[in-house]
Amino acid sequence: MVKDVKKQIRQLRGEIREHDYLYYVLNQPKISDHQYDKLFAELKELEQANPQFITPDSPTQRVSERPLEGFTSIRHSVPMLSMDNTYNAEELRAFDERVRKQLGSEDYDYVVELKIDGLAISLRYERGQLVTAATRGDGEVGDDVTANVRTIKAIPLVLFGDGKIPDVLEVRGEVYMPTTSFIELNRLRAEAGEPAFANPRNAAAGSLKLLDAKITAARNLSFFAYATGELSEPLAANHYQTLEKFKKLGLPVNPKIKRAKNIDEVINICLSWTERHSKLNYHIDGMVIKINRFDQRDVLGATGRAPRWCISYKFPAERAETIVESIDVQVGKSGILTPVANLTAVQLSGTAVKRASLHNFDELNRLNVGVGDTVVIEKAGEIIPQVIEVKAKAAVNVPFEVPTQCPICGSAVARDEEGVYIRCLNPDCLGQLKERLKYFAGRGQMDIEHLGDALIGQLVDTGLVRDLADLYKLKKSDLIGLDRMGEKSADNVIKAIRKSEKRALARIIAGLGIRHIGGQSAQILSEHFGTFPAFMAASEEELANIDQVGPTMARSIREYFNKQMDLLRELLKYLNPPPKTQRTDKLEGVTIVVTGTLENFTRQQAEQAIRQAGGKAPSSVSKKTDFVLAGKEAGSKLDKAQKLGVTVINEKQFLEMLVTKGEQ
Ligand SMILES: [Zn+2]
């Protein structure tokens, strides 16, 4: 009898999964909603009567009953890279030209996809079961959003397939909110007196970051899969086959994806979508063009931040007309004054726009923008909206005066050497300090939760914080009594600050806001120096000699050190980044190219191990390559190594080299 119940439960789950797939993935339901609800109720009833048979992969278990306390981090085993952009056919042709140069006489083809404007997610399946889901984050580390992602019915909790699924299969794709759901959600929010989401992407992101999965479940999110991350064994030899495999596993793949034999076909597909993308029930902001064959992708490799085998094509910016209500002057973290236009709200690329940058005062004068004018604004890609031209002057002309003093501290301002920017020269300007603190605490840097703009404003205005290091001297009693700061919120702020003391060195370096040093350069610097004191002791010459750093960044870093050494010493008292694995010189001067599937490392890990041992790990084989480390199913790199007479080593030999010095 019990055995029968178990069998019945299994059968019902199978049926429901099948119908979910037909409905959410294929868009071809075979039964009515009513019939589906009946099946679901039947399963639920059986499970309730026999709770010993409830398993997490049951369709009844998508929504967790208990709200989360917060989000933990997940480190991506294979980083989620970003993509370079193109904006027209010529740039696409230039991309194709670069590809052809690198691939030589080989034939190659492309896969062209819609660029869904949602949130990139990495799903990890182990033995066919969904175990975790993480946001992209900074590409290396994202947030664990498993509980919320489980509520998305287009995402299978269990993959289809009979034992043919790799033990580890990471699926990457985009979580998005269909336009109709977005409009409905904003209507409900307006009724409830809640602020509207600016666009479907924000709505999707906000919905995935809710602590209560029950609310996420009601948000009607969906998903398209478009790539793999970590794989315990290869799924296919090319991208198009991978997508076909995805479909067989029950994963939703965008039906508009097309193969293209050459760049002319790619351009035609891109241009045709430029015309008709607004008719889709989801927002897309362009197209993604990928080289199909994986062995060719390996040959093409990647630059520091983006692969060379794919590119995005962004649709031309949309424009709109609106009225300038006022013009503010903002002070940036390095003192630059920026005029900003406050506008009568207008819809642009699916977003409500209320402010637009005027860049600088020369630009403002050139455009001759004044309060009350009707202007044309444009939004290009992800950039902040900007004023393009004045369509009609206001009836009463109010000329805008270029400031001669800082609007925050009242100090004198001066033009930059380049002559474009006007800067507040006061090193103690509180306006600049607020911006530096906001940047330091920001998500890409020290990621200090609960330390929002309003609180930073108060901390500076009350004199509690006068530099970055003062944040770490704050006590709970300092905070209580500030606006909206009770016992509990003060506690949260202090805890978040304490937590940030253990952030990685790369985040600290990025957070300092040194001119020309962004997240990527900070990563390179942290890998090179390993510790905060080693970084602080670096000479300009040493800095300039680091691969991908160079003289401009080196000078900028040294200038920062000269001015801020006291602050750095103070920060050093509080910050405790986890030590990096010690660098060795085992592979000093040795160049190794990694290819194929290894047993003990992902390719990225092997390359990191080479760099940490002082070696170089470029992505393509040349005459300068000392060794090619070939794993299983090594492709064209192995062929090239043999052609050039480069020594090929296996994983065992590589492991030995890491222990004893590599010799030729
Ligand atoms: Zn100032």
Side-chain angles (χ1 to χ4, degrees), residues 138-150:
D138 61 2
E140 303 276 343
V141 179
D143 284 322
D144 182 345
V145 289
T146 313
N148 289 340
V149 162
R150 283 175 59 93

Side-chain angles (χ1 to χ4, degrees), residues 331 335 337 405-413 423-432:
V331 183
L337 305 192
Q405 47 180 222
C406 171
I408 307 287
C409 71
S411 301
V413 296
R423 231 180 250 270
C424 162
L425 298 178
N426 175 8
D428 301 320
C429 172
L430 298 185
Q432 293 179 42

